[in-house]
Amino acid sequence: MARAPRLTESAGAVFAVLAEAGSATRPQLATLAGLSKPTVSSAVAELEGVRLAAHSGTSSGGTGRTAAVYRLGPAAGSVLAVDLGPALTRVRGCALDGTLLAEATGSRAGAADVVREALDALPADAPLRSIVVAVGDVTAPGERGTGMRPATAKGGPVFDAVAVALPPGVPVHLENNVNCAALAELHEGAARDRHTFGYLRIGVGIGLGIVVGGRVLRGANGAAGELARLPYPWADGSEPRHEALEDYMGARSLLRRAAEVWQKADGPCPRTTDRLLALARKGSAPACAVLDRHAVDVGRLAAAVIAVLDPGLVVLGGSTGADPRLLPGVRAEVERLSWPTEVVSSTVGDLGTVVGAARLAVARGVQTVTEAARVKD
């Protein structure tokens, strides 16, 4: 990884706002950075000198005057985001202004090859500044660079599948996949302009992304939102089991319930949740009945989240949770059990995790460059 050049503090500040804006004139940069125009002019010249900023055209004002427009330069670099999903691996490479540069998708088993495909598609002259890997596990401080490491999961550390393909010397940050999806909803999805909400993912497993004041809440152990650890069942004569709630709410149990009620006259019993949802959309009576019951269960879980967080908004995501078919039932159960809370379906879809991971990678990549601003003006 190429080291970022040392910058003055003002150049670092201008670089950060230029990355956020995508493109801007010097007067606009002065306003965004809260710096004087002469200071910004000097900072822009400094950034151009090390190819961190580049002239990209002109802009005409209302008085007929034109102003130079700047964008990030080729030396600003790129970042990589990896979503290690249960079945698919999705990878995105982005510039530090968020522009998509490369993407690749493949099987979880071929995760390393998917990462290499995306890396090969990145511009050769754009140094890699940061890597974020989204994993379905609790993450904790440590390991490579200024990154994170996951807790040990079944089958060993969950990032081993891609570690062999990651270039050395680049800071790696591992983040929980639900937290990444919550970031995508915050910036580009159903929770845009909402600073506090809960992202409730229901799919193969269950999880909660908690956003408070525009920031993801991770907790003391990096385990905030691990709903699988809620005691369940919790009733007389029942002994809570480890991750029993996830077993009850997850996709396998949903398909098992479908098999229990399915009759020969109903046609082939669905073997995947996608098929179950498709049958419900076509009006299949048993499929609708199973999903109606599932919606009630999801609503009860949402009501528990609301009782603890009072988030004002719950976004339903995941392979089953995001399906609009569940929304009315979830809303009805929340209304029955809790105080008024808006409940909506995710709008970012299956790409939410990698989109959120890319946004986090961009933020950390910009930080990598601006942290080189050590010289006082």
Side-chain angles (χ1 to χ4, degrees):
M1 179 188 72
R3 288 184 175 274
R6 290 177 65 88
L7 302 171
T8 60
E9 290 183 351
S10 57
V14 169
F15 180 85
V17 298
L18 184 57
E20 178 69 22
S23 64
T25 64
R26 279 179 289 186
Q28 290 170 335
L29 291 171
T31 299
L32 292 170
L35 299 172
S36 69
K37 291 181 181 179
T39 299
V40 167
S41 293
S42 177
V44 168
E46 180 182 347
L47 293 172
E48 284 189 290
V50 291
R51 301 175 69 239
L52 289 176
H55 183 269
S56 66
T58 58
S59 174
S60 299
T63 62
R65 294 182 178 179
T66 60
V69 177
Y70 296 90
R71 56 174 174 77
L72 295 186
S78 60
V79 300
L80 196 73
V82 182
D83 170 19
L84 284 178
L88 292 178
T89 297
R90 293 183 173 91
V91 184
R92 282 193 167 194
C94 296
L96 294 196
D97 62 1
T99 301
L100 182 64
L101 300 175
E103 58 184 339
T105 302
S107 69
R108 174 68 179 267
D113 291 334
V114 180
V115 170
R116 292 188 184 100
E117 180 184 344
L119 285 170
D120 289 344
L122 290 176
D125 61 347
L128 195 60
R129 301 294 187 190
S130 176
I131 300 170
V132 169
V133 181
V135 296
D137 198 6
V138 175
T139 56
E143 203 138 344
R144 289 182 57 177
T146 57
M148 308 282 283
R149 63 174 173 80
T152 299
K154 297 171 185 176
V158 293
F159 66 97
D160 276 358
V162 297
V164 295
L166 301 180
V170 181
V172 178
H173 175 90
L174 274 81
E175 182 57 89
N176 177 267
N177 56 3
V178 179
N179 288 343
C180 288
L183 283 173
E185 296 291 348
L186 172 66
H187 294 286
E188 303 180 35
R192 196 174 345 198
D193 300 325
R194 301 290 287 268
H195 298 293
T196 298
F197 68 96
Y199 170 77
L200 181 57
R201 172 174 281 185
I202 308 292
V204 175
I206 61 174
L208 177 69
I210 305 168
V211 176
V212 177
R215 299 175 66 89
V216 171
L217 180 66
R218 293 179 173 84
N221 297 297
E226 286 294 308
L227 298 180
R229 298 300 182 94
L230 285 174
Y232 180 86
W234 196 353
D236 291 341
S238 299
E239 185 71 19
R241 294 180 291 104
H242 182 69
E243 297 187 350
L245 181 58
E246 185 166 76
D247 289 341
Y248 175 78
M249 296 286 296
R252 283 181 297 219
S253 290
L254 183 62
L255 293 172
R256 186 181 66 247
R257 291 187 200 106
E260 289 170 354
V261 302
W262 219 262
Q263 303 295 320
K264 288 185 178 180
D266 300 321
C269 182
R271 295 181 178 272
T272 66
T273 53
D274 285 345
R275 179 59 181 161
L276 179 65
L277 292 167
L279 288 171
R281 285 191 289 270
K282 293 179 179 178
S284 164
C288 288
V290 170
L291 289 177
D292 285 345
R293 174 184 169 182
H294 196 54
V296 171
D297 288 334
V298 174
R300 291 172 180 172
L301 184 57
V305 168
I306 293 165
V308 175
L309 297 178
D310 187 21
L313 171 68
V314 173
V315 179
L316 302 177
S319 55
T320 55
D323 193 281
R325 180 71 180 68
L326 270 67
L327 190 58
V330 175
R331 284 174 169 170
E333 194 68 1
V334 166
E335 184 177 357
R336 186 178 76 85
L337 294 174
S338 193
W339 45 81
T341 300
E342 186 178 1
V343 182
V344 300
S345 299
S346 166
T347 60
V348 295
D350 294 340
L351 293 177
T353 296
V354 75
V355 167
R359 181 168 284 275
L360 181 59
V362 165
R364 295 181 71 85
V366 171
Q367 183 181 13
T368 297
V369 174
T370 58
E371 280 181 348
R374 298 285 187 256
V375 182
K376 296 292 184 182
D377 291 324

